[in-house]
Amino acid sequence: MKTHFFRVACLAMFSTALLSENAFAQMFSTSGGNTKFSASTPLENIEAENKKSQVILNTANSEIAIRMNMRDFVFPNKLMQEHFNENYIESEKYPTATFSGKVDKAPDYAKDGDYDVSATGKFTVHGVTRERTIKGKMKVEGGKITISSDFEVALVDHKIEVPKVVFVKIAQIIKVKAQYVLSPKK
Amino acid sequence: MKVLRLLVMLMGSSTVLYAQDDLLNELSKQDSAQTVPVTATFKSTRVVNGQSVETMKKKHLDFRISHRFGKLNSGAYQFFGLDQATMRLGFEYGLTDDLMIGVGRSTSQKVYDFFGKYKLLKQSTGARIMPVSVTLFGGTGVATVDKEREFQDKLYYTAQVLVARKFGERLSLQLSPTYLYRTMPDVTGDEKVVLAVGIGGRFKLSKRVSLNGEYFYTAREKNTVTAPYHDSMSFGVDIETGGHVFQLHFTNSLGMIEKQFIGETAGSWGKGDIHYGFNISRTFSFDKKNKRQPN
């Protein structure tokens, strides 16, 4: 009886190890991704940068998830930062922005090279989720995957209100630049 | 048996880890241990007259223009007080995110005032919980109006411990124990030291408008010959419009510095000695290093 259990245990352990070995090699991630946005108008320069964006990519099925804390966006003007968190994004209620979806045509992750890619999935900002396809570039080099993307977010799509009595105008369309360098997850 | 259970658990957990829909959860697990600071307890560095726990951020300059008009009960001839204006101009600057300095000049008693404010504790939730924000305030100034007096006798000093808490999104309350020392009080026989406790707060009506109130209880005899003064009480509205904060208020104090509104408030709400007034605050960022980020 005892030896039987032992054998099952050994088998289970082996298969777990095998499974995890595979799975780990498929996962690429970063927690220091760079996301910038600009809501500048001719009058005012409104820019912010988030250097703590988290990204995870499963190369086995091309599923990708991106998550960032809105409070990690740093503005040169701290008053703007306060307004961003308090009045526009409402970080207390909606602390994160996320994207979870799939890379549409998966490139060969094993081969170095530059690929034009797009990802489709759920994009959530300010508590409002939209189905979106976002274009970008993917670079596979030296065991790392670099994803970069320029895209736009319309304030109205995410119910972000700009009150009428604002002296500092902000753009209605926000330009976002993202650059994420993913390395294999240990 | 135990071994088997352990293994099942192990396998189970690894399956969860790789379950592909849960990539987002996997990410959110990573930063569960964050400390979330509570920001914007008040819109401005002032509640109404008194200091709030807020300080200017590093390399940010606040240019502040404050006006207090005459008494509302002065009648139509004085245009209900609007014919007279008392003002203070001030510059306030953040040396670090937690330490700021300020200078100001008031028309009332021709006072030059100087102060420093330091954020000692910051209210936060999450990994590290801090129930209140605590800011220390120290101020001094010289009332230059009386040329006969020795320089020493024109000085005053203020020390305050500002303790505030933001209760949810709308309500913030603050307690401000105050020590005020005048080397030579304006009225002969008045005590040099005034001890006071301020209670102030704001209630947000909308994202950009809040209702503010403030009361300073002074521990001394009131409305006597040696101290013909009342406690300061003020109500106002803060309107935020991007780079500006407008604070409009009604108060029984004419002065806009601690010595004056805590120590020398002559008006009484009961008699209608109410001054209409406003503060306009405009913030400039001198953070050049970050100003233009390469795109």
Side-chain angles (χ1 to χ4, degrees), chain A residues 46-75:
Chain A
I46 305 170
E47 278 165 358
E49 185 173 21
N50 181 325
K51 290 180 180 172
K52 294 178 185 169
S53 312
Q54 304 165 287
V55 187
I56 189 163
L57 169 73
N58 186 342
T59 53
N61 59 4
S62 283
E63 292 215 333
I64 185 165
I66 301 167
R67 180 184 186 276
M68 63 196 76
N69 284 307
M70 300 319 272
R71 287 202 185 278
D72 290 333
F73 274 101
V74 176
F75 289 67

Side-chain angles (χ1 to χ4, degrees), chain A residues 36 61 63 69 83 86 163, chain B residues 20 31 204 208 240 242 294:
Chain A
K36 278 184 204 172
N61 59 4
E63 292 215 333
N69 284 307
H83 293 163
E86 205 191 3
Chain B
Q20 275 112 14
D31 69 0
K204 274 179 90 173
R208 296 175 172 274
E240 187 187 24

Side-chain angles (χ1 to χ4, degrees), chain A residues 26-41:
Chain A
Q26 294 158 7
M27 294 293 197
F28 284 78
S29 74
T30 180
S31 55
N34 190 313
T35 312
K36 278 184 204 172
F37 75 76
S38 158
S40 298
T41 59

Side-chain angles (χ1 to χ4, degrees), chain B:
Chain B
M1 213 52 195
K2 246 186 204 161
V3 180
L4 193 69
R5 208 178 299 157
L6 196 80
L7 281 167
V8 169
M9 261 165 64
L10 237 156
M11 266 167 100
S13 70
S14 52
T15 322
V16 169
L17 197 71
Y18 316 131
Q20 275 112 14
D21 326 327
D22 282 338
L23 284 182
L24 262 185
N25 287 342
E26 177 64 22
L27 289 181
S28 56
K29 255 187 275 167
Q30 289 176 8
D31 69 0
S32 54
Q34 261 203 347
T35 299
V36 183
V38 171
T39 56
T41 306
F42 290 95
K43 289 270 185 229
S44 162
T45 54
R46 304 297 198 286
V47 179
V48 178
N49 282 312
Q51 299 282 345
S52 76
V53 286
E54 301 293 339
T55 58
M56 293 307 297
K57 293 287 187 289
K58 188 180 182 181
K59 289 188 179 172
H60 285 58
L61 178 79
D62 190 24
F63 175 47
R64 185 170 272 278
I65 307 168
S66 307
H67 274 74
R68 301 292 178 270
F69 294 97
K71 294 171 185 172
L72 285 185
N73 64 1
S74 60
Y77 179 67
Q78 299 285 0
F79 201 36
F80 303 99
L82 291 183
D83 280 357
Q84 296 121 34
T86 306
M87 70 176 294
R88 176 180 178 273
L89 284 179
F91 287 101
E92 304 181 357
Y93 187 72
L95 294 175
T96 72
D97 280 351
D98 298 330
L99 180 68
M100 70 174 276
I101 50 169
V103 292
R105 168 64 159 72
S106 299
T107 57
S108 171
Q109 300 174 327
K110 299 190 185 294
V111 179
Y112 292 90
D113 65 276
F114 308 90
F115 69 86
K117 244 164 110 176
Y118 177 66
K119 259 190 187 173
L120 192 66
L121 298 173
K122 281 168 258 181
Q123 189 184 341
S124 61
T125 57
R128 203 175 64 101
I129 295 171
M130 180 61 67
V132 292
S133 296
V134 177
T135 298
L136 305 178
F137 169 87
T140 182
V142 51
T144 61
V145 70
D146 192 345
K147 288 180 181 164
E148 306 297 304
R149 283 193 187 185
E150 296 286 318
F151 179 77
Q152 177 64 32
D153 294 339
K154 298 176 185 175
L155 295 172
Y156 73 90
Y157 306 91
T158 318
Q160 281 183 318
V161 181
L162 313 167
V163 182
R165 178 171 165 84
K166 190 175 181 180
F167 298 88
E169 211 182 315
R170 288 178 180 273
L171 181 70
S172 303
L173 291 178
Q174 181 178 299
L175 265 181
S176 330
T178 304
Y179 172 88
L180 173 65
Y181 180 87
R182 288 89 44 94
T183 45
M184 191 176 168
D186 283 349
V187 178
T188 340
D190 191 7
E191 295 286 332
K192 286 182 176 178
V193 173
V194 177
L195 293 176
V197 177
I199 177 158
R202 76 148 191 204
F203 184 79
K204 274 179 90 173
L205 299 174
S206 74
K207 278 184 193 171
R208 296 175 172 274
V209 179
S210 76
L211 214 61
N212 289 26
E214 185 178 65
Y215 174 72
F216 278 91
Y217 171 79
T218 49
R220 61 168 168 178
E221 279 190 69
K222 273 147 234 175
N223 204 18
T224 59
V225 181
T226 47
Y229 302 125
H230 295 267
D231 286 343
S232 171
M233 185 159 71
S234 321
F235 298 98
V237 177
D238 276 19
I239 305 164
E240 187 187 24
T241 60
H244 295 80
V245 178
F246 293 96
Q247 299 184 289
L248 317 173
H249 31 252
F250 290 102
T251 171
N252 60 338
S253 305
L254 191 64
M256 289 154 270
I257 51 179
E258 285 67 24
K259 166 192 190 278
Q260 294 171 337
F261 65 82
I262 297 174
E264 295 156 9
T265 288
S268 148
W269 272 81
K271 289 186 204 149
D273 304 332
I274 300 160
H275 305 273
Y276 167 69
F278 60 81
N279 305 335
I280 298 174
S281 144
R282 164 78 197 178
T283 302
F284 302 92
S285 172
F286 286 92
D287 206 345
K288 287 216 175 66
K289 198 180 74 194
N290 290 321
K291 195 124 199 173
R292 290 249 169 214
Q293 295 162 345
N295 278 315

